[in-house]
Amino acid sequence: MANDTNTFQAIISHCKEYGFIFPSSEIYDGLAAVYDYGQWGSELKRNIRDYWWKSMTQMHENIVGIDAAIFMHPTTWKASGHVDNFSDPMIDNKDSKKRYRVDHLIEAHAEELKAKGDTAGADALIAEMRKLEAADDYAGLKTLIDEKKIKCAVSGTVNWTDVRQFNLMFSTEFGAVSSENEEDNKVYLRPETAQGIFVNFLNVQKTGRMKIPFGIAQVGKAFRNEIVARQFIFRMREFEQMEMQFFIKPGTQKEWYEYWKEARMKWHQSLGIPAEKYRFHDHVKLAHYADAACDIEFDFPIGFKEVEGIHSRTDFDLRNHQEYSKKKMQYFDTEINQNYIPYVIETSIGLDRSVMMVLSHAYTEEDLSTPEKADSRVVLKFPAKLAPIKLAVFPLTKKDGLPELARELMDACKPHFKCFYEEKDAIGKRYRRQDAIGTPFCVTVDHQTKEDRTVTIRFRDSMEQKRVHMDEVKTLILAEIF
Ligand code: GAP
């Protein structure tokens, strides 16, 4: 059984062993911080994505969705501030040549102090770092590292460069035409999906005849050249975001910010995760576009960490796009007969982090030992609506007409939800395999089914079994997954 400190490692191994998540291009030893979703991981991810999409675009009459391209005109990223501001302070160790994110280096040192019992020293160090970060005081950060004699984990020396900013955007070349000036062909892989929404604000508003307040939602890939990419799918270089920009009248941002904080926290709890697993973290150092911001943090096995950001972005983005594109980004408000550039509240949640959150909460190791026999199981207790497979159908044996009846049940259910059919091995073994991938319902077709068309339905979490009519199975499961 895994203890608190190795639960995270156990989840990573489980994800690989049971077809959820694999290191990218693993046959070539993988690519750092890039992962592939396997057969069950991609179903889980799609279910979370669909649940978010539905809750935004179907449950809110004033929110519509779009699907913008990953490549955008390079000026987009000038206007958004990403070319100049989207960077992390970094420091290199001259001996090992290893590059560190300054906050990670200092945080690791604080952890060491804590482990030695110097909690006050660790807290003071973090507080000092936050103060210097908030003031963009890079020389001060370097002095702090020198004063505390923070060592490189590889070389063990304190031989550091100055602290420098390192831009996190990936760039590539666009088109086949070579240019004297490489910058002419340079495009970026978007570091957030939000800008695809901003540049389409007027297209959507006009063609959809949208009235403020209204929202535009989008799900898609984003790319960041994270320097210290670690912790499995928590910090990746290629990841997916689910973002929604809510366009509002200037001056109403405080109330809408509070509205979306509450609405998003409710959404998280609707995943079947209890309130105490979440907390808000207000930003002290605001991003270049925000006048208020907070994170929703989840209690991962590695501690409380951000899954979602809620940002009051003012009119920063639309105003800058207006300035750089020379195209008006205004909305005419018929209620007050005035033009204005709308303000924006953004909700931005990482899809991969949501997958990790749902997996972390679902992962359960159970000791089922009896005095006679040692036994245990690993079960993923996903809410039924998110489970990769909803129903597994097992004929007790491969003969006597049982597979035909099981196939009949499969055919009745598979147009409605994801089903799985299996004939091999003892029923107990088949149940355990489905527990390990989080299938909430298993149905066994046996000889009695031939007589009265009843089957045994087995519930994943309680392991309770009951006899129901074959024709009831579909309705029973449909009631659980919506
Ligand atoms: N448009 C605002 C924005 O991008 P952010 O806080 O930088 O804000 C939003 O990112 C969310 O995207 C985060 O809360 C996180 O869930 C996810 N995210 C950000 N960087 C990530 C990374 N490198 N790997 C996985 N998820 C990431």
Side-chain angles (χ1 to χ4, degrees):
M1 294 272 159
N3 61 32
D4 275 355
T5 48
N6 63 24
T7 299
F8 191 55
Q9 280 312 321
I11 293 172
I12 297 173
S13 308
H14 190 87
C15 281
K16 183 156 185 283
E17 193 180 338
Y18 286 92
F20 281 85
I21 299 165
F22 309 120
S24 161
S25 31
E26 196 187 5
I27 57 168
Y28 297 105
D29 297 333
L31 185 64
V34 186
Y35 289 91
D36 297 339
Y37 285 82
Q39 65 278 28
W40 307 134
S42 55
E43 291 283 348
L44 173 65
K45 188 179 178 191
R46 191 176 53 79
N47 291 342
I48 298 173
R49 186 196 289 123
D50 289 350
Y51 183 62
W52 180 89
W53 184 259
K54 184 176 168 189
S55 75
M56 281 294 176
T57 65
Q58 193 171 319
M59 300 307 288
H60 290 92
E61 292 169 27
N62 59 349
I63 301 180
V64 290
I66 64 163
D67 184 11
I70 287 171
F71 288 132
M72 299 183 71
H73 192 284
T75 311
T76 309
W77 306 109
K78 269 303 251 188
S80 69
H82 283 83
V83 170
D84 294 328
N85 295 310
F86 194 58
S87 48
D88 277 334
M90 309 294 307
I91 194 163
D92 292 12
N93 183 271
K94 291 182 192 165
D95 301 319
S96 67
K97 311 279 183 251
K98 190 165 162 54
R99 179 167 290 169
Y100 293 85
R101 245 176 78 167
V102 168
D103 55 344
H104 288 171
L105 183 69
I106 297 176
E107 278 164 9
H109 188 69
E111 284 303 317
E112 280 172 26
L113 292 179
K114 257 192 202 156
K116 288 180 193 154
D118 185 5
T119 309
D123 291 346
L125 177 62
I126 295 296
E128 180 63 13
M129 176 184 83
R130 298 259 181 269
K131 211 167 83 195
L132 294 165
E133 278 180 337
D136 286 333
D137 184 350
Y138 303 125
L141 285 165
K142 170 74 177 5
T143 309
L144 186 66
I145 290 166
D146 287 341
E147 278 174 5
K148 299 292 171 194
K149 300 196 169 38
I150 298 178
K151 287 183 187 156
C152 165
V154 178
S155 66
T157 69
V158 292
N159 193 10
W160 298 107
T161 62
D162 285 339
V163 172
R164 281 169 302 195
Q165 289 289 82
F166 182 89
N167 196 292
L168 301 182
M169 282 196 294
F170 282 104
S171 64
T172 185
E173 276 171 40
F174 208 60
V177 186
S178 73
S179 160
E180 294 278 291
N181 182 1
E182 277 183 13
E183 290 296 308
D184 290 352
N185 294 342
K186 188 164 163 182
V187 289
Y188 296 99
L189 297 186
R190 66 182 177 196
E192 62 170 13
T193 58
Q195 297 306 323
I197 292 178
F198 287 121
V199 299
N200 280 297
F201 159 68
L202 278 184
N203 283 337
V204 175
Q205 190 271 318
K206 290 206 155 79
T207 57
R209 300 168 67 235
M210 308 298 289
K211 288 224 173 320
I212 275 180
F214 74 91
I216 304 179
Q218 178 170 216
V219 181
K221 291 270 186 172
F223 304 83
R224 296 183 187 177
N225 198 2
E226 300 283 1
I227 298 312
V228 187
R230 54 181 181 183
Q231 294 166 330
F232 193 39
I233 55 168
F234 186 80
R235 196 176 300 286
M236 300 157 88
R237 294 200 164 102
E238 173 181 341
F239 58 99
E240 221 165 313
Q241 288 185 316
M242 306 190 285
E243 298 202 296
M244 193 279 299
Q245 316 299 130
F246 199 68
F247 297 93
I248 54 170
K249 193 168 148 191
T252 62
Q253 64 269 34
K254 277 206 170 65
E255 64 199 74
W256 282 116
Y257 178 63
E258 292 306 324
Y259 171 90
W260 280 110
K261 270 178 81 170
E262 198 190 317
R264 293 306 302 148
M265 193 55 109
K266 272 196 192 141
W267 181 88
H268 279 272
Q269 287 162 28
S270 76
L271 299 172
I273 301 177
E276 63 267 21
K277 296 288 278 183
Y278 290 104
R279 70 181 186 195
F280 283 113
H281 167 77
D282 291 321
H283 287 200
V284 184
K285 185 179 189 314
L286 292 172
H288 58 274
Y289 49 72
D291 74 352
C294 68
D295 298 333
I296 293 178
E297 294 186 338
F298 173 76
D299 190 8
F300 289 100
I302 47 174
F304 271 99
K305 303 245 177 241
E306 171 189 350
V307 254
E308 173 156 9
I310 297 156
H311 311 124
S312 174
R313 287 181 84 128
T314 69
D315 60 357
F316 175 89
D317 302 86
L318 289 180
R319 186 170 290 284
N320 276 5
H321 285 306
Q322 174 169 289
E323 190 186 318
Y324 278 80
S325 68
K326 310 275 182 270
K327 309 271 173 12
K328 284 245 178 295
M329 288 287 169
Q330 286 181 339
Y331 169 80
F332 182 70
D333 192 329
T334 49
E335 277 179 23
I336 53 170
N337 270 333
Q338 255 180 34
N339 275 309
Y340 55 76
I341 299 180
Y343 269 40
V344 170
I345 305 296
E346 164 183 77
T347 70
S348 174
I349 176 168
L351 177 52
D352 310 273
R353 278 190 202 177
S354 305
V355 169
M356 191 169 133
M357 173 175 80
V358 169
L359 272 166
S360 304
H361 188 63
Y363 182 86
T364 314
E365 296 179 357
E366 284 182 351
D367 186 353
L368 304 172
S369 300
T370 59
E372 294 75 41
K373 196 171 141 224
D375 194 10
S376 66
R377 70 168 181 161
V378 172
V379 51
L380 297 182
K381 296 187 173 181
F382 295 131
K385 63 189 171 209
L386 301 182
I389 298 168
K390 313 300 184 199
L391 169 69
V393 180
F394 306 146
L396 186 65
T397 62
K398 287 185 199 169
K399 46 185 202 283
D400 303 335
L402 301 187
E404 287 75 6
L405 278 168
R407 284 278 173 210
E408 188 190 323
L409 182 60
M410 281 291 289
D411 290 344
C413 292
K414 71 183 180 192
H416 303 279
F417 42 79
K418 178 86 182 157
C419 302
F420 183 87
Y421 177 87
E422 194 173 43
E423 294 178 345
K424 203 170 165 289
D425 292 329
I427 289 290
K429 262 195 177 169
R430 287 186 248 173
Y431 284 156
R432 290 296 160 85
R433 280 202 291 266
Q434 293 304 314
D435 288 346
I437 57 174
T439 305
F441 309 102
C442 294
V443 160
T444 303
V445 171
D446 57 20
H447 291 92
Q448 197 183 324
T449 315
K450 281 181 26 178
E451 284 161 30
D452 59 8
R453 292 180 64 81
T454 63
V455 291
T456 301
I457 184 160
R458 185 254 194 193
F459 300 88
R460 179 196 64 202
D461 298 353
S462 62
M463 294 190 285
E464 185 205 334
Q465 302 186 14
K466 70 177 188 193
R467 207 77 203 171
V468 296
H469 197 278
M470 228 172 102
D471 300 344
E472 282 172 38
V473 171
K474 183 184 87 190
T475 322
L476 193 149
I477 294 175
L478 281 174
E480 294 290 329
I481 60 177
F482 283 108

